[in-house]
Amino acid sequence: MLLQHDFKGQSGAALRSKEKKDRRHITIREVAKAAGASVATISAALNNSDYVSAEMRGRIQDAIKQLKYRPNDLARGLRLQKTHSIAIIVPDLSNNFYVDVVRGAKDYSASANYTILIGDSRESWEEERNYLDSFHRRRVDGVVRVPAMDAVAKKATPILGNIPVVYADRYPAVRDSSVGRVGVDNALAADNATRYLLSLGHRMIGIISGDTSSGTSADRLKGFLHALSSVKIRPDRSMIHTGNNDMESGHQHAMQLLTRARRPTAIFCTNNMMALGALAAIQEIGLACPEEISLLGFDDFYWSTLLRPRLTVVRQPAREVGPECSSTTSRAVPALLALFCWRRNSSCAIPAVLQSRTIPNQRTLIDFRPVLRAAMTG
C-alpha cells in the first residue's frame, strides 16, 4: 500500500507538472524560432500584412498550430496603445432595427479583427453615460453612438476624451463639430414618403414624429412639411404630434388623431415602434386599414409581412457593408466606425466612408427605399 501510495504521489506530481507546462503561455519568440522567422515577420503575419509570402505564412500557421500559440491581446494593446475593440451603444435592443445595427457592426468588426462591446441604454441618458464611462475606462478605439432620446443633445466628448465617436441613425439637431454621422438623408426620405401619400390623393395627413431635439426627427418633420408646401398645402399644426419613439406614444397620439371631428385620411409615423402603436389604435377603434385610414411607417421589421394589414414603410438599410468598405478596414478606426451594418438593396452603392479621426460636420449618407405593402390606399 505504501509503495502504491508513493507511486500515485509521483504520478500526480508529474501530471500537475505537465498541466502547468501545458498552461504556460507560449511567446511569439517561440513561434518565431519554430517557424525559422523573425519576431517582426510573425507579427506581420498575425496582422495580415501583404509582405509575408504564402510559403512563410504557411510555416507560421503550422508553428502556431503545433505550439497552440494564442496572442496576448492585453500585452499587444499596451505596446500599440490600441485595444482592437470598438463599442456600440443603442437605445433599445427590443427594436429590431437596432438589433440589425448591432449584428452588422459585430459582423464587420469580426472581419477586421476587432472585438465589439455592446451597450443598451434603454432610452436613458444615465444608463448611456455609465456605458460611455465604462468604454473610456476600457480604452476602446472608437464608439458608435445611437443616443437615447433624452441624451441626443448631450456630448460624449467630456466623457470619452479623444476617443473617436460616430453618430448612427440619431444625431443632435445642433451638430457636434468633432464627430461625424452615418445614416440616410432623413429629410429627403420623409419628403419622398409624404409625396407618395399625396400621390394617392391624401390631403389630410397626420404625422407622429419623434422629439425634434433629435436631428433625425427634426429632419423627418422638415421633409414632411416640405412635401406639403410643394403642393401648396398649409400644414394643420393640430395634426403634428410628437411621440417618444415607442409603441405607447404611437398608440396615444394615433388615438388623438383618429378621434378628432375631422380625422386624417393617412398617418405618417416617423419610426417603426410608433407605427406599431398607431396600427394598434386603428384596430382598437375598428377602422379598416387602408380603406378608411392609411398608415405609413419609417424603418422595417423582418417579421412585418406577418402583420395584417402589411405596413408600408421607408426602409433604412441596417446591416450589410458595401464591397468598397474592405479597402479601408486596416487604415483607420473611424472608417471602421463609419462602416457598420447597413443592409441595403444589392443594386444600391454605399457612399464614401468617413476617413478622418474627427469628422467636422461630415456625413455618410446611405440609400433608402420605400417598401410598398397593403396599409396604403388613396
Side-chain angles (χ1 to χ4, degrees), residues 279 282-283 287-291 293 295 304-312 373-376:
L279 180 60
I282 291 168
Q283 294 172 341
L287 293 174
C289 180
E291 293 79 11
I293 181 76
L295 180 61
S304 58
T305 54
L306 301 177
L307 292 172
R308 292 296 181 272
R310 295 187 295 175
L311 283 176
T312 292
R373 299 192 181 111
M376 304 289 299

Side-chain angles (χ1 to χ4, degrees), residues 30-342:
E30 291 172 277
V31 175
K33 183 178 179 180
S38 68
V39 170
T41 301
I42 304 298
S43 179
L46 291 173
N47 288 312
N48 297 316
S49 174
D50 291 336
Y51 90 77
V52 181
S53 69
E55 186 270 335
M56 176 56 75
R57 195 179 298 274
R59 282 164 49 191
I60 292 170
Q61 289 300 324
D62 289 343
I64 288 173
K65 185 176 180 180
Q66 180 183 354
L67 296 173
K68 298 181 181 179
Y69 171 71
R70 298 173 69 185
N72 186 328
D73 288 339
L74 180 59
R76 184 168 179 256
L78 289 171
R79 186 175 69 255
L80 300 177
Q81 292 296 295
K82 289 180 63 177
T83 60
H84 272 263
S85 63
I86 64 169
I88 179 168
I89 185 161
V90 297
D92 183 8
L93 277 175
S94 68
N95 186 330
N96 183 73
F97 175 77
Y98 296 120
V99 172
D100 269 357
V101 168
V102 168
R103 282 177 175 169
K106 176 182 175 295
D107 291 346
Y108 182 79
S109 300
S111 72
N113 294 320
Y114 273 74
T115 300
I116 188 164
L117 305 180
I118 301 167
D120 179 359
S121 70
R122 303 186 180 186
E123 295 288 11
S124 164
W125 166 238
E126 190 65 30
E127 287 280 337
E128 182 177 342
R129 183 170 56 188
N130 289 339
Y131 274 117
L132 293 175
D133 182 61
S134 174
F135 297 154
H136 179 261
R137 285 185 280 109
R138 291 171 182 270
R139 297 298 188 266
V140 298
D141 295 329
V143 175
V144 175
R145 184 186 180 204
V146 188
M149 283 305 299
D150 65 344
V152 176
K154 307 284 188 182
K155 289 190 176 184
T157 306
I159 302 172
L160 293 174
N162 63 355
I163 295 175
V165 179
V166 170
Y167 285 106
D169 182 42
R170 292 181 189 171
Y171 46 90
V174 178
R175 302 287 166 79
D176 184 341
S177 62
S178 66
V179 297
R181 74 173 181 89
V182 179
V184 301
D185 185 329
N186 286 286
L188 179 61
D191 180 283
N192 288 357
T194 307
R195 287 175 189 270
Y196 176 67
L197 289 172
L198 294 169
S199 74
L200 296 176
H202 293 287
R203 293 299 181 267
M204 293 277 290
I205 305 173
I207 184 171
I208 306 175
S209 172
D211 191 327
T212 52
S213 64
S214 160
T216 307
S217 298
D219 283 351
R220 290 176 188 176
L221 180 57
K222 178 182 176 182
F224 169 77
L225 295 174
H226 182 267
L228 293 183
S229 67
S230 70
V231 292
K232 306 295 190 293
I233 294 179
R234 183 180 299 235
D236 182 346
R237 295 290 170 178
S238 68
M239 288 204 293
I240 300 175
H241 287 234
T242 301
N244 296 320
N245 284 354
D246 56 20
M247 286 183 63
E248 291 77 11
S249 63
H251 178 272
Q252 173 191 343
H253 290 290
M255 290 293 284
Q256 293 173 11
L257 286 167
L258 296 171
T259 53
R260 291 164 45 100
R262 294 180 66 241
R263 70 170 181 249
T265 61
I267 296 177
F268 177 25
C269 296
T270 64
N271 97 319
N272 51 7
M273 302 303 285
M274 292 194 298
L276 286 179
L279 180 60
I282 291 168
Q283 294 172 341
E284 188 175 319
I285 290 176
L287 293 174
C289 180
E291 293 79 11
E292 295 178 281
I293 181 76
S294 289
L295 180 61
L296 175 62
F298 208 111
D299 297 336
D300 205 2
F301 297 94
Y302 66 89
W303 43 263
S304 58
T305 54
L306 301 177
L307 292 172
R308 292 296 181 272
R310 295 187 295 175
L311 283 176
T312 292
V313 298
V314 178
R315 175 184 289 167
Q316 288 193 84
R319 193 168 177 180
E320 186 179 311
V321 177
E324 69 272 25
C325 300
S326 59
S327 65
T328 65
T329 59
S330 61
R331 292 205 299 264
V333 170
L336 180 65
L337 297 175
L339 293 175
F340 70 102
C341 62
W342 293 103

Side-chain angles (χ1 to χ4, degrees), residues 355-366:
Q355 296 288 344
S356 58
R357 190 170 188 280
T358 56
I359 315 105
N361 292 322
Q362 187 173 344
R363 300 182 299 167
T364 293
L365 298 179
I366 308 297

